Amino acid sequence: MQKLNQSTVTEFILLGFAPSLGTNPLLFTFFLVFYLLILISNSLLITLIHQDSRLHTPMYFFISILSMLDICYTTTTVPQMLTHILSKKRAISFARCVAQMYIFLLFGVTESWLFSIMSVDRYMAICHALRYKVIMSHWVCLLMVGICAAYGVLGSLCYTFFAMRLPYCGPNEIDHYFCEVPAVLKLACADTSFNDLVDFIIGFNVIVVPLSLVVLVYANIFATIMKICSVQGRIKAFSTCASHITVVTMFAIPCIIMYMGPGSSSLSNSGKRMALFYNIATAFLNPVIYSLRNKDVKKAFLKLIGWSRAPE
């Protein structure tokens, strides 16, 4: 009978955040406003980069890809969360849970590797300025993005396959607002120690390796910057890296905590808060950080709304 019951779960219940009916409208409004701001700000940044010829450079090309990933990344989870906040029934079918887990990880892993590619772009711009446009051609940039996407497809497939190959026979309540791997593994009717090992190995390759590449690249960048004689030159070079370092830090630290530790031992509330941070907060802050610290983006925005008639 036990063997027969191991495949009885056909849907999961996402408990989410809402503790009571009284706070549901407030939570719904809060997350809806954040989601709309994410869509508007990232879409605006993509539009500015596409429309203004001054932004047709490798750096802004990668920023536009990052904004596109952020839109897809949050859309995978937030609309469903908003629906469940106001709904009494918070069920998600087993198949939809698998699909959501895979798509979420696909964009997340791709974004993780994109950060490392963006650091390489900064290295080329600062350390090989004279050959930058030749080395970072349009086709090279497309190839780099393709490699990131390939890592995303492979990494998310491994995560999802090893998580959903386990038997799930009940309970079926996921203490989270979407089907994230650590939260789902808690419901498995089997020992998850092997999955913890596999997730650590995969997490090392899709989180720690690209993060280590970022650290290594910036160590070389800073060594080059320190050789610049002009103080203003150093400050300008450092400022071009500050935005990227900030964004990478906000994304990487919560991901390492969530996906490099044992899935069964992570605390539910802290896990949900960290997921909110790298799923929603970073997607909201990315365009803010890259636009507020960038004069070219500000000029492109003023030009778009007709407030600037400065020549190209």
Side-chain angles (χ1 to χ4, degrees), residues 170-189:
N172 67 337
E173 293 184 342
I174 301 175
D175 192 10
H176 213 299
Y177 66 94
F178 72 100
C179 292
E180 190 169 36
V181 172
V184 174
L185 285 180
K186 293 179 182 180
L187 305 182
C189 302

Side-chain angles (χ1 to χ4, degrees), residues 223-285:
T224 302
I225 291 175
M226 294 309 294
K227 296 177 183 178
I228 300 175
C229 298
S230 170
V231 176
Q232 288 184 341
R234 291 181 186 178
I235 294 173
K236 184 177 180 181
F238 274 121
S239 66
T240 62
C241 303
S243 298
H244 184 244
I245 294 173
T246 303
V247 169
V248 171
T249 303
M250 291 190 307
F251 179 85
I253 293 177
C255 287
I256 290 174
I257 295 173
M258 284 295 295
Y259 284 91
M260 296 296 290
S264 59
S265 64
S266 59
L267 297 175
S268 297
N269 290 330
S270 62
K272 283 186 282 188
R273 286 194 293 268
M274 282 188 287
L276 276 178
F277 191 80
Y278 64 72
N279 182 211
I280 298 177
T282 55
F284 169 74
L285 292 173

Side-chain angles (χ1 to χ4, degrees), residues 31-32 34-36 38 73-85 100 177-178 276 279-280:
F31 288 123
L32 177 61
F34 253 92
Y35 180 57
L36 291 177
I38 289 169
Y73 197 48
T74 52
T75 302
T76 307
T77 60
V78 177
Q80 175 192 264
M81 178 181 67
L82 292 173
T83 302
H84 286 180
I85 287 175
Q100 185 186 57
Y177 66 94
F178 72 100
L276 276 178
N279 182 211
I280 298 177

Side-chain angles (χ1 to χ4, degrees), residues 8-303:
T8 56
V9 171
T10 58
E11 67 176 18
F12 293 105
I13 307 298
L14 294 167
L15 299 181
F17 287 95
S20 64
L21 293 175
T23 59
N24 284 1
L26 292 175
L27 282 173
F28 178 84
T29 304
F30 177 78
F31 288 123
L32 177 61
V33 169
F34 253 92
Y35 180 57
L36 291 177
L37 288 174
I38 289 169
L39 293 182
I40 294 170
S41 59
N42 282 283
S43 298
L44 178 60
L45 188 55
I46 293 171
T47 302
L48 292 175
I49 293 171
H50 177 72
Q51 293 290 334
D52 198 304
S53 59
R54 290 172 297 188
L55 303 182
H56 293 174
T57 64
M59 181 181 75
Y60 293 111
F61 171 72
F62 292 130
I63 290 175
S64 68
I65 298 297
L66 176 63
S67 291
M68 189 163 51
L69 287 174
D70 283 336
I71 291 174
C72 298
Y73 197 48
T74 52
T75 302
T76 307
T77 60
V78 177
Q80 175 192 264
M81 178 181 67
L82 292 173
T83 302
H84 286 180
I85 287 175
L86 297 181
S87 175
K88 293 182 180 179
K89 184 175 175 61
R90 300 177 180 179
I92 181 172
S93 67
F94 189 90
R96 282 184 60 199
C97 186
V98 174
Q100 185 186 57
M101 181 185 295
Y102 175 77
I103 295 171
F104 176 81
L105 288 168
L106 170 64
F107 294 124
V109 174
T110 303
E111 187 165 316
S112 177
W113 274 99
L114 182 66
F115 286 135
S116 66
I117 295 300
M118 293 173 74
S119 68
V120 173
D121 172 69
R122 290 298 82 213
Y123 172 79
M124 293 299 177
I126 295 172
C127 302
H128 300 279
L130 297 178
R131 294 185 295 161
Y132 174 60
K133 291 185 178 180
V134 176
I135 296 173
M136 298 298 293
S137 67
H138 182 65
W139 290 109
V140 170
C141 293
L142 287 175
L143 177 62
M144 287 180 167
V145 172
I147 292 172
C148 293
Y151 270 105
V153 171
L154 184 60
S156 57
L157 184 63
C158 292
Y159 266 124
T160 307
F161 172 77
F162 284 102
M164 305 315 289
R165 63 184 285 275
L166 294 172
Y168 294 91
C169 52
N172 67 337
E173 293 184 342
I174 301 175
D175 192 10
H176 213 299
Y177 66 94
F178 72 100
C179 292
E180 190 169 36
V181 172
V184 174
L185 285 180
K186 293 179 182 180
L187 305 182
C189 302
D191 181 20
T192 61
S193 57
F194 177 73
N195 283 73
D196 292 339
L197 177 62
V198 169
D199 289 349
F200 179 85
I201 295 172
I202 299 173
F204 184 85
N205 284 278
V206 301
I207 300 175
V208 177
V209 171
L211 181 61
S212 300
L213 178 60
V214 171
V215 173
L216 180 63
V217 168
Y218 273 110
N220 284 275
I221 290 175
F222 292 154
T224 302
I225 291 175
M226 294 309 294
K227 296 177 183 178
I228 300 175
C229 298
S230 170
V231 176
Q232 288 184 341
R234 291 181 186 178
I235 294 173
K236 184 177 180 181
F238 274 121
S239 66
T240 62
C241 303
S243 298
H244 184 244
I245 294 173
T246 303
V247 169
V248 171
T249 303
M250 291 190 307
F251 179 85
I253 293 177
C255 287
I256 290 174
I257 295 173
M258 284 295 295
Y259 284 91
M260 296 296 290
S264 59
S265 64
S266 59
L267 297 175
S268 297
N269 290 330
S270 62
K272 283 186 282 188
R273 286 194 293 268
M274 282 188 287
L276 276 178
F277 191 80
Y278 64 72
N279 182 211
I280 298 177
T282 55
F284 169 74
L285 292 173
N286 283 352
V288 175
I289 292 171
Y290 280 116
S291 59
L292 290 180
R293 295 182 58 87
N294 197 297
K295 293 180 181 179
D296 291 334
V297 175
K298 293 177 183 177
K299 290 178 181 178
F301 176 71
L302 293 175
K303 180 183 175 182

